[in-house]
């Protein structure tokens, strides 16, 4: 089954404790991206990757890191989480890293709470 | 920068009625406009999209219209059913080097039985 898998789905952590949210897709997609969803703000892009070893900042990259060492995986790293990073996070992927169109396939989301 | 405004933020309709959600984009170079549906506890899922060389596209009870001059596009759902209740997001994409979609803030649609 074609899917984007995120882990963990739910996480409560404390300020400053490094964490990683993993994302894996099995569709051989070039393009992957991370979004955060906050009430009243919709989906905002954190980072994206057009292909292996190619990553770039989205609209809200502060406090986050990513890496793309393999085509299927795109982990999101919070080196020192703060309460303002409490949010619902989505990983997404699509074909065509060099295109600006095409269906985004989203994971089921990771709800993060930073105390 | 690029911006997509979406209205209304919430919409309640009676089952069987129509629902319309409107979005306005700021960058006239935008050329691709998808709509996503997010059911409770799940990730958004594409339901319909339209490209800038087309004025309207329909898929069963769902249609999208695009007015490039006014820079707005709309989602129309006819004969609404309870399973249409969800959050809907519009988005716009521009053919520059950013390769990203700008999403609207979402509309929570409630279909009342």
């Amino acid at each position: 089954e074609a899917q984007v898998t995120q882990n963990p789905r739910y996480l409560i952590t404390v300020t400053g404790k490094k964490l990683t949210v993993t994302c894996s897709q099995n569709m051989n997609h070039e393009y992957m991206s991370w979004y955060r969803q906050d009430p009243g703000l919709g989906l905002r892009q954190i980072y994206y990757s057009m292909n292996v070893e190619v990553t770039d900042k989205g609209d809200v990259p502060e406090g986050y890191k990513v890496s793309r060492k393999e085509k299927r995986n795109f982990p999101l790293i919070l080196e020192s989480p703060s309460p303002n990073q409490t949010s619902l996070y989505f990983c997404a992927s699509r074909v065509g890293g060099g295109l600006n169109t095409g269906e985004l396939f989203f994971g089921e989301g990771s709800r993060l709470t930073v105390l | 920068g690029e911006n997509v405004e979406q209205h209304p933020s919430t919409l309640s309709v009676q089952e069987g009625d129509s629902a319309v959600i409107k979005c306005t984009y700021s960058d006239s170079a935008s050329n691709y406009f998808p709509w996503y549906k997010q059911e409770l506890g799940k990730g958004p899922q594409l339901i319909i999209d339209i490209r800038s060389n087309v004025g309207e596209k329909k898929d069963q009870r769902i249609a999208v219209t695009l007015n490039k001059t006014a820079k707005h596009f709309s989602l129309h759902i006819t004969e609404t059913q309870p399973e249409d209740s969800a959050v809907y997001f519009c988005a716009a994409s521009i053919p520059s080097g950013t390769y990203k979609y700008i999403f609207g803030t979402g509309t929570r649609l409630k279909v009342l039985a």
Side-chain angles (χ1 to χ4, degrees):
Chain A
E1 181 189 353
Q3 59 186 6
V4 178
T5 304
Q6 299 178 223
N7 279 296
R9 295 288 313 281
Y10 301 92
L11 179 63
I12 300 174
T13 189
V14 295
T15 299
K17 186 176 181 182
K18 179 179 179 179
L19 67 92
T20 299
V21 186
T22 63
C23 174
S24 181
Q25 50 94 5
N26 62 0
M27 295 169 279
N28 201 37
H29 286 166
E30 294 87 358
Y31 183 98
M32 296 187 74
S33 182
W34 276 101
Y35 296 87
R36 61 178 288 174
Q37 182 177 0
D38 301 290
L41 298 177
L43 292 161
R44 294 181 293 166
Q45 190 178 50
I46 303 170
Y47 269 94
Y48 66 95
S49 169
M50 284 164 44
N51 215 323
V52 176
E53 301 292 0
V54 180
T55 63
D56 209 345
K57 296 177 180 178
D59 295 316
V60 287
E62 296 79 17
Y64 304 95
K65 285 175 57 176
V66 292
S67 68
R68 187 90 182 273
K69 294 184 171 58
E70 306 163 281
K71 198 171 189 179
R72 64 183 294 127
N73 295 324
F74 191 44
L76 179 70
I77 303 158
L78 287 73
E79 293 271 4
S80 183
S82 62
N84 64 9
Q85 293 178 298
T86 293
S87 187
L88 178 59
Y89 291 86
F90 287 101
C91 180
S93 72
R94 63 172 172 84
V95 298
L99 302 174
N100 75 308
T101 62
E103 179 178 1
L104 271 173
F105 291 83
F106 284 85
E108 300 233 298
S110 296
R111 185 166 291 282
L112 172 64
T113 301
V114 183
L115 302 175
Chain B
E2 308 92 346
N3 184 50
V4 175
E5 292 188 4
Q6 183 172 347
H7 298 282
S9 56
T10 60
L11 178 60
S12 294
V13 299
Q14 288 294 135
E15 182 177 358
D17 287 350
S18 295
V20 181
I21 302 171
K22 300 182 179 181
C23 289
T24 304
Y25 59 96
S26 61
D27 194 322
S28 57
S30 298
N31 67 342
Y32 174 67
F33 307 92
W35 285 89
Y36 286 81
K37 175 184 180 182
Q38 184 182 24
E39 296 178 345
L40 195 62
K42 296 191 174 182
Q45 194 166 13
L46 180 73
I47 54 171
I48 195 167
D49 57 12
I50 191 169
R51 297 173 191 269
S52 59
N53 58 349
V54 176
E56 182 174 359
K57 184 177 179 180
K58 192 172 181 180
D59 183 3
Q60 299 183 338
R61 297 186 297 108
I62 293 173
V64 56
T65 58
L66 172 65
N67 182 328
K68 285 193 294 183
T69 303
K71 292 192 285 187
H72 68 237
F73 56 112
S74 300
L75 178 71
H76 305 253
I77 306 174
T78 58
E79 301 172 19
T80 53
Q81 300 166 5
E83 53 264 38
D84 294 328
S85 296
V87 178
Y88 292 80
F89 291 99
C90 63
S93 177
I94 58 173
S96 73
T98 60
Y99 306 101
K100 65 179 181 182
Y101 300 165
I102 307 298
F103 283 88
T105 50
T107 296
R108 182 173 298 279
L109 173 64
K110 296 180 185 176
V111 179
L112 307 170

